[in-house]
């Protein structure tokens, strides 16, 4: 017996896209601005340069709690690319567009579309390359503590000094995606400026976002010592002045 032909209601699909756009809340930009350094006299500090938008759970009306943190970090990075670089002119991709990109490059099967499967730094690199033409450097850090201090900190310092673009960070035991906007090194160790996509709720002002810790300096020593970490560093073609 022949399979029934699948009929896609493209009108309904477009209507849903329009509805999603209508639900989009105004996004905060540059949420780290005004945060003081974590130490009084840093020996070295590197920060994101240029503008970006803060994407987080539910910011477009879609409840992606528990699986969408990697997608939101990709959107934050993509917003920086669109606002600062001469890349293909397009807004940050929706959650659906990120999934479609991964299917298009044959990293994921068709069943991935519409799923609640999370993504990590490797998938982020594929999406940014496919949609924006920006390749990414992936750095694997075998463990927390000294490995993070010796490898990740220097990579982020160099990246931000050369590129100025946000970094994505993820791991295994510490599998919460994080955006990295800065790094500060002092006599007692280093700190990462983390923008956390896990906030879910109504719009917040910049000061409230900082007060609640959704963007904050985190000491490298406070990260999970038994987790490995991966970094995704977009290799932008030009350096932000």
């Amino acid at each position: 017996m022949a399979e029934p032909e699948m009929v896609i209601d493209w009108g309904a699909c477009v209507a849903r896209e329009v509805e999603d756009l209508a639900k989009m809340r105004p996004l905060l930009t540059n949420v780290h601005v005004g945060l003081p350094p974590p130490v009084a006299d840093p020996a070295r500090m590197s920060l994101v340069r240029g503008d970006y938008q803060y994407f987080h759970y539910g910011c477009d009306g879609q409840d992606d709690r528990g699986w969408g943190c990697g997608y939101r970090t990709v959107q934050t990075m993509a917003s920086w690319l669109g606002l600062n670089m001469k890349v293909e002119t397009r807004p940050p991709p929706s959650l659906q567009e990120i999934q479609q990109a991964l299917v298009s490059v044959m990293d994921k099967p068709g069943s991935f579309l519409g799923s609640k499967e999370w993504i990590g730094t490797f998938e982020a690199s594929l999406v940014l390359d496919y949609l924006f033409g920006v390749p990414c450097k992936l750095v694997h850090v075998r463990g927390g503590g000294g490995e993070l201090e010796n490898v990740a900190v220097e990579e982020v310092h160099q990246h931000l000094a050369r590129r100025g673009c946000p970094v994505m960070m993820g791991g295994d035991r510490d599998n919460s995606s994080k955006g990295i906007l800065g790094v500060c090194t002092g006599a007692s160790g280093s700190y990462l400026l983390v923008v956390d996509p896990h906030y879910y709720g109504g719009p917040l002002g910049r000061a409230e976002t900082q007060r609640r810790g959704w963007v904050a300096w985190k000491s490298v020593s406070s990260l999970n010592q038994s987790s490995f970490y991966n970094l995704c560093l977009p290799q932008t073609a030009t350096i932000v002045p």
Side-chain angles (χ1 to χ4, degrees), residues 91-114:
S94 66
L95 305 189
Q96 293 76 15
E97 287 172 327
I98 291 172
Q99 291 187 339
Q100 182 60 64
L102 291 169
V103 172
S104 296
V105 300
M106 296 186 290
D107 178 68
K108 302 292 184 187
S111 59
F112 181 65
L113 294 174

Side-chain angles (χ1 to χ4, degrees), residues 185-215:
T185 300
S188 59
S190 296
Y191 297 77
L192 296 174
L193 181 54
V194 175
V195 60
D196 188 341
H198 295 87
Y199 170 66
Y200 182 82
L204 298 177
R206 181 182 293 155
E208 184 68 7
T209 302
Q210 295 177 4
R211 187 186 71 81
R212 295 194 187 186
W214 296 114
V215 58

Side-chain angles (χ1 to χ4, degrees), residues 16-235:
R16 283 195 296 271
E17 290 287 337
V18 171
E19 185 179 353
D20 287 343
L21 288 173
K23 292 177 182 176
M24 178 72 79
R25 302 161 184 164
L27 295 171
L28 289 176
T29 60
N30 308 332
V31 290
H32 72 288
V33 171
L35 271 178
V39 294
D41 189 20
R44 187 182 181 189
M45 187 162 69
S46 306
L47 293 172
V48 65
R49 288 174 286 167
D51 297 327
Y52 64 90
Q53 295 171 299
Y54 171 43
F55 283 80
H56 54 82
Y57 281 164
C59 64
D60 55 3
Q62 182 170 349
D63 186 351
D64 54 317
R65 286 176 290 180
W67 60 275
C69 57
Y71 296 78
R72 300 306 185 181
T73 303
V74 169
Q75 290 176 321
T76 293
M77 297 165 79
S79 75
W80 186 96
L81 293 174
L83 291 169
N84 296 281
M85 307 304 300
K86 293 181 179 179
V87 298
E88 182 178 343
T89 303
R90 58 156 298 144
S94 66
L95 305 189
Q96 293 76 15
E97 287 172 327
I98 291 172
Q99 291 187 339
Q100 182 60 64
L102 291 169
V103 172
S104 296
V105 300
M106 296 186 290
D107 178 68
K108 302 292 184 187
S111 59
F112 181 65
L113 294 174
S115 72
K116 295 183 178 181
E117 294 184 33
W118 58 267
I119 63 171
T121 51
F122 175 69
E123 289 87 355
S125 70
L126 296 178
V127 170
L128 295 178
D129 193 4
Y130 180 73
L131 294 180
F132 293 92
V134 176
C136 297
K137 178 180 181 180
L138 296 175
V139 176
H140 177 67
V141 183
R142 292 176 295 178
E147 283 282 334
L148 274 176
E149 189 74 51
N150 296 330
V151 178
V153 165
E154 183 57 29
E155 286 282 354
V156 177
H157 268 305
Q158 292 187 19
H159 172 81
L160 291 174
R162 293 173 182 171
R163 317 282 183 183
C165 177
V167 173
M168 179 173 172
M169 183 176 184
D172 61 341
R173 294 190 179 182
D174 180 2
N175 57 12
S176 297
S177 177
K178 307 167 183 62
I180 306 300
L181 304 175
V183 57
C184 179
T185 300
S188 59
S190 296
Y191 297 77
L192 296 174
L193 181 54
V194 175
V195 60
D196 188 341
H198 295 87
Y199 170 66
Y200 182 82
L204 298 177
R206 181 182 293 155
E208 184 68 7
T209 302
Q210 295 177 4
R211 187 186 71 81
R212 295 194 187 186
W214 296 114
V215 58
W217 288 102
K218 306 286 187 183
S219 66
V220 170
S221 62
S222 71
L223 298 178
N224 193 315
Q225 304 295 297
S226 59
S227 177
F228 73 67
Y229 288 93
N230 293 320
L231 302 174
C232 175
L233 306 103
Q235 301 298 283

